Amino acid sequence: QVTFGSLFLGGVPAPAGVQGCAGEIQGFKGCIRDFQVNSKELFLIDEALGGRNVENCNVPVCAYQPCRNGGTCTSNAENWFCECPKLYSGKLCQFATCAGNPCGHGATCVPKSRRDAVCLCPYGRAGILCTDAVSISQPSFSGTDAFGYTSFLAYSTIPNISSSHEFLLKFQLANHHSALQDNLIFFTGQKGQGLSGDDFLELGLRRGRVVYSYNLGSGTATITSELLDLALDLHVVQLGRHLQEGWMKVDEQQNRSTTAPGKLVGLNVFSQFYLGGYGEYTPELLPKGLRFQNSFEGCIFDVQVRSSAQQQFRRPGAPAGQPSAGRSVGQCRHSPCSLIRCRNGGKCRARGATVYCDCLPGWKGAFCTEAVSVCDPEHDPPHLCKQGGTCVPLPSGYTCHCPLGTAGAFCEQG
């Protein structure tokens, strides 16, 4: 048994002078590898205040693959440890930066380092921790961010567009060359699983042209515009379909039309209507054929739809104009960096409503106000503690606290 103050692990000490008696509580027989209380990890030998009849467990621990999150287990006759990947820590690599999620209002927490996180803000929120409310009338989309997430808005399924539909929208391109390459503007489909037989409706940009595509279940129909006039600040798109016949007009270009192949005439879509990107955006989720490799960069606004020429145009969503979900969408021509001051040479990065400070080497924290310790994972060069040794900073340099079974200045000896 090993004691941690009044906490006993494995057994309890017998009362003074008592050698054994009927009904005596039997201690645990076996191996205890790890012990954690809430988020605090206790090292069984190093932190114990006392103990009796405890010896090293000879079970080949690495055979049980104890390391989590892609950690690599290394062991010898006396000890074992986990080498953790970049964004994890703890003896089992069980602690991630976002385990104690600092982000508010349902934001997506993304590790920037082992200690720092970035909050990808949901629709209607902005700021370092997404605590600031923001009013959005002209949504700004930021494409795919440095962490692999896209900005998007999702609206409830658009009803009654099986036989016909008509869309109006306006967009402004961001000042990025990639915004003209291969970017999704909107999408709705059957299951969103990229199956070739799924009905779908999508609009995007490819090599400077607007591409409108739909499938009624028996083949894809596509209309491609002329090259966009980049001298125009604002682009206007009108598109529609009645049964198999589709059409699209972009800016002052001539109207173009097409006919869907096969005999099917109805568009059956069950998924939400995605604007600017896709919730779990990978090209494989979109329909086969004209997959758009990136989400939109710029502003998309004044989106309206109707299911017949006799109806009035209305904004998507229920209630009209209200998204059901969204991420990293800001207000057009407004950057949240205007409210953020990064210190010590850090640069403010804004992706829609998401904002964070990109710190220079040697600094960390939400506003780059914390100096990187010699023992921090971000320090360059990294510390030299080996075999699970714990780096402890000193006024000048650092020392390594070695786990059981290792020795040496850097715990490099068995």
Side-chain angles (χ1 to χ4, degrees):
Q1 50 88 11
V2 179
T3 63
F4 295 82
S6 59
L7 174 64
F8 298 93
L9 188 66
V12 295
V18 177
Q19 300 298 319
C21 59
E24 178 182 0
I25 298 174
Q26 297 296 314
F28 175 76
K29 294 182 180 180
C31 299
I32 299 176
R33 290 204 305 259
D34 302 285
F35 190 63
Q36 182 176 319
V37 179
N38 297 328
S39 61
K40 179 173 176 54
E41 186 178 14
L42 299 177
F43 295 91
L44 300 184
I45 300 301
D46 294 349
E47 298 188 43
L49 300 179
R52 184 174 66 240
N53 298 333
V54 176
E55 60 184 22
N56 196 47
C57 185
N58 292 319
V59 177
V61 175
C62 287
Y64 295 93
Q65 299 179 338
C67 306
R68 306 174 192 172
N69 299 305
T72 302
C73 184
T74 302
S75 65
N76 53 35
E78 296 294 330
N79 199 20
W80 66 276
F81 62 93
C82 293
E83 288 286 356
C84 299
K86 182 177 179 181
L87 299 177
Y88 295 92
S89 60
K91 188 171 184 181
L92 299 179
C93 307
Q94 74 273 41
F95 298 129
T97 305
C98 289
N101 188 351
C103 306
H105 300 280
T108 302
C109 181
V110 177
K112 188 173 67 170
S113 70
R114 290 191 187 181
R115 307 289 173 84
D116 292 337
V118 171
C119 300
L120 308 184
C121 297
Y123 175 76
R125 291 286 169 176
I128 291 285
L129 299 178
C130 304
T131 53
D132 303 329
V134 58
S135 177
I136 299 175
S137 58
Q138 296 182 340
S140 172
F141 301 87
S142 53
T144 304
D145 61 29
F147 310 102
Y149 290 84
T150 65
S151 59
F152 73 94
L153 290 177
Y155 298 85
S156 57
T157 303
I158 298 177
N160 306 319
I161 60 172
S162 174
S163 298
S164 63
H165 58 255
E166 188 174 358
F167 285 84
L168 300 176
L169 63 90
K170 300 174 184 177
F171 68 83
Q172 290 178 314
L173 294 173
N175 188 23
H176 298 290
H177 179 67
S178 60
L180 282 174
Q181 297 307 304
D182 196 0
N183 304 77
L184 181 70
I185 295 177
F186 72 60
F187 166 79
T188 185
Q190 260 185 3
K191 304 179 184 66
Q193 296 173 347
L195 302 179
S196 58
D198 279 356
D199 291 19
F200 68 84
L201 168 67
E202 67 180 349
L203 184 72
L205 292 170
R206 179 163 285 124
R207 294 184 291 276
R209 303 173 188 266
V210 179
V211 181
Y212 165 40
S213 182
Y214 60 92
N215 190 327
L216 308 179
S218 54
T220 299
T222 301
I223 303 175
T224 302
S225 76
E226 300 173 22
L227 284 169
L228 290 173
D229 181 357
L230 299 185
L232 296 176
D233 179 59
L234 182 67
H235 300 279
V236 180
V237 180
Q238 305 173 60
L239 60 89
R241 178 193 65 87
H242 178 69
L243 301 180
Q244 292 180 307
E245 306 299 319
W247 59 270
M248 179 176 71
K249 180 175 175 56
V250 177
D251 297 332
E252 297 302 320
Q253 299 178 14
Q254 289 187 345
N255 186 72
R256 296 191 173 194
S257 60
T258 190
T259 301
K263 297 182 179 181
L264 298 177
V265 298
L267 176 69
N268 301 301
V269 294
F270 312 132
S271 71
Q272 294 177 299
F273 178 75
Y274 290 94
L275 188 66
Y278 199 66
E280 300 299 329
Y281 186 78
T282 59
E284 288 70 26
L285 288 173
L286 297 178
K288 292 184 177 180
L290 294 173
R291 288 175 173 161
F292 294 96
Q293 299 298 313
N294 307 292
S295 58
F296 188 79
E297 294 182 61
C299 303
I300 306 174
F301 48 91
D302 291 348
V303 180
Q304 301 179 69
V305 61
R306 65 182 179 183
S307 58
S308 72
Q310 290 72 42
Q311 292 183 339
Q312 290 186 340
F313 281 99
R314 66 186 298 272
R315 294 180 295 170
Q322 182 62 39
S324 56
R327 180 175 59 217
S328 298
V329 174
Q331 173 69 0
C332 194
R333 295 181 294 275
H334 171 76
S335 172
C337 280
S338 62
L339 304 176
I340 300 298
R341 183 184 176 190
C342 304
R343 306 300 180 91
N344 299 303
K347 300 294 185 182
C348 182
R349 307 295 185 193
R351 306 293 293 183
T354 295
V355 60
Y356 64 95
C357 289
D358 195 2
C359 303
L360 290 178
W363 297 96
K364 64 179 182 177
F367 298 96
C368 307
T369 55
E370 305 171 42
V372 173
S373 163
V374 68
C375 289
D376 286 341
E378 301 88 352
H379 191 270
D380 187 18
H383 66 77
L384 299 177
C385 300
K386 306 296 183 182
Q387 304 193 87
T390 302
C391 177
V392 179
L394 299 175
S396 58
Y398 64 95
T399 186
C400 298
H401 285 185
C402 300
L404 186 67
T406 63
F410 303 112
C411 311
E412 74 278 10
Q413 302 173 12

